[in-house]
Amino acid sequence: MKPKVYITRKLPGAIIQQIQEKCDVRMWEEEEVPVPREVLEEEIKKVEGLLCLLTEQIDRSLLEQADNLRVVANMAVGYNNIEIDEAKERGIIVTNTPGVLTETTADLTFSLLMATARRIPEASDYLRNGKWETWSPMQLTGQDIHGATLGVIGLGRIGEAVAKRAKGFDMKVLYHNRSRSQDAEKELEIKYVELEELLKESDFVCVLTPFTPETENMIGHEQLALMKKSAILINTARGGIVNEDALYEALSNGEIWAAGLDVFKEEPVSLDHPLLTLPNLVTLPHIGSASIATRMKMADLAATNLLKVLEGEDAPNNVT
Ligand code: GLV
């Protein structure tokens, strides 16, 4: 008998087919609407495998109902949506999709940095809204990227890929991480500094750490106050790492110059969120890894992880 699997969102046909060859598949058929919790609660009782997205909270109360579950394959590199300890205790393997999204997410991080520094969304609206009446000396002026100092918080794969891009812009790169990487320091010509120094010295600060109890609210009032008034904060990791109330204050009081956010504490962010009223905030709807090729690779890798575990083999990306 084929193992039973539930997929929490409509994935590309080729990926579903690949899973269907080996499993009895049920799936939430919507692309743009997440599976309702009560549906997931019913489905999880029946299956050995779950392929889910970061929009699903795979928490204790859900896992308690999952008597047959052997694997949760998350289609994301971050897995803070899953209670790992609970899964471990129950012998459920959790997998993620690292590597395949590194370069694409670094591209987006750098795009957001540039869009924020050079006020690109604002400038585009300016033209479309009929405000472009003349060329003027200080019109829509922003911050230089080339030659500036970039501070990378969290030197994982994506952090390194962002640092590499920065070098192409003649930027000086500082980083802060739980552990130092002498190899990366040599290879990328980057410098390890304490968080305080990074915040004080950087023109751009990119947040690229995983979201954990240690990194929750890692950037708050105190940290933002250390940054230069001309500095820009970019977060393409997870919303909860930067305290949004503190960021709102820092942006509205001119403590920092601007911010670019691809992620929010609550997603999708509510349209009446105070941050969205600020002209010096550039925002995106969590699209770090959103290239066609990369999303296909992520779905494919999540499927491979799922199938490997169900076939009794080691999963390439086991995080439990
Ligand atoms: C996206 O945010 C991911 O973790 O893959």
Side-chain angles (χ1 to χ4, degrees), residues 220-284:
H221 286 289
E222 210 182 299
Q223 290 70 30
L224 291 161
L226 292 173
M227 290 173 65
K228 298 179 185 177
K229 283 200 169 11
S230 57
I232 292 175
L233 179 81
I234 302 295
N235 186 5
T236 52
R238 286 291 184 270
I241 303 168
V242 176
N243 181 298
E244 290 175 355
D245 294 339
L247 181 62
Y248 175 79
E249 275 185 37
L251 287 170
S252 38
N253 298 340
E255 274 178 62
I256 66 171
W257 195 75
L261 299 180
D262 185 40
V263 288
F264 288 85
K265 190 164 164 40
E266 298 286 339
E267 295 182 358
V269 65
S270 159
L271 282 182
D272 54 21
H273 193 299
L275 276 171
L276 301 189
T277 63
L278 299 174
N280 52 347
L281 179 81
V282 177
T283 56
L284 299 172

Side-chain angles (χ1 to χ4, degrees), residues 54 76-78 101 238 286 298:
L54 53 79
V77 66
L101 48 64
R238 286 291 184 270
H286 202 147
M298 288 167 69

Side-chain angles (χ1 to χ4, degrees), residues 103-147:
E103 300 299 330
T104 301
T105 307
D107 285 349
L108 189 279
T109 303
F110 221 82
S111 306
L112 183 55
L113 181 155
M114 296 180 82
T116 310
R118 297 300 304 272
R119 302 168 61 178
I120 288 174
E122 187 187 344
S124 174
D125 288 348
Y126 187 86
L127 182 155
R128 286 172 186 270
N129 293 334
K131 293 189 185 153
W132 188 25
E133 288 177 359
T134 182
W135 186 96
S136 74
M138 297 308 283
Q139 180 186 65
L140 291 164
T141 45
Q143 303 288 349
D144 271 329
I145 298 147
H146 68 274

Side-chain angles (χ1 to χ4, degrees), residues 173-188:
V173 181
L174 308 175
Y175 80 97
H176 182 74
N177 199 47
R178 268 179 317 180
S179 55
R180 278 184 69 164
S181 165
Q182 314 262 2
D183 289 348
E185 284 172 32
K186 249 190 248 149
E187 194 189 322
L188 299 169

Side-chain angles (χ1 to χ4, degrees), residues 29-78:
E29 296 281 350
E30 302 273 353
E31 249 175 276
E32 300 295 335
V33 182
V35 59
R37 176 75 181 194
E38 57 280 13
V39 173
L40 187 55
E41 281 178 1
E42 274 314 302
E43 295 291 346
I44 198 102
K45 292 176 186 159
K46 307 174 197 159
V47 296
E48 286 168 68
L50 180 74
L51 195 162
C52 63
L53 311 187
L54 53 79
T55 45
E56 279 79 60
Q57 290 308 313
I58 313 298
D59 52 23
R60 172 190 289 256
S61 78
L62 191 78
L63 292 170
E64 274 170 354
Q65 303 177 57
D67 289 339
N68 304 315
L69 195 62
R70 290 164 56 200
V71 53
V72 177
N74 209 32
M75 188 184 142
V77 66

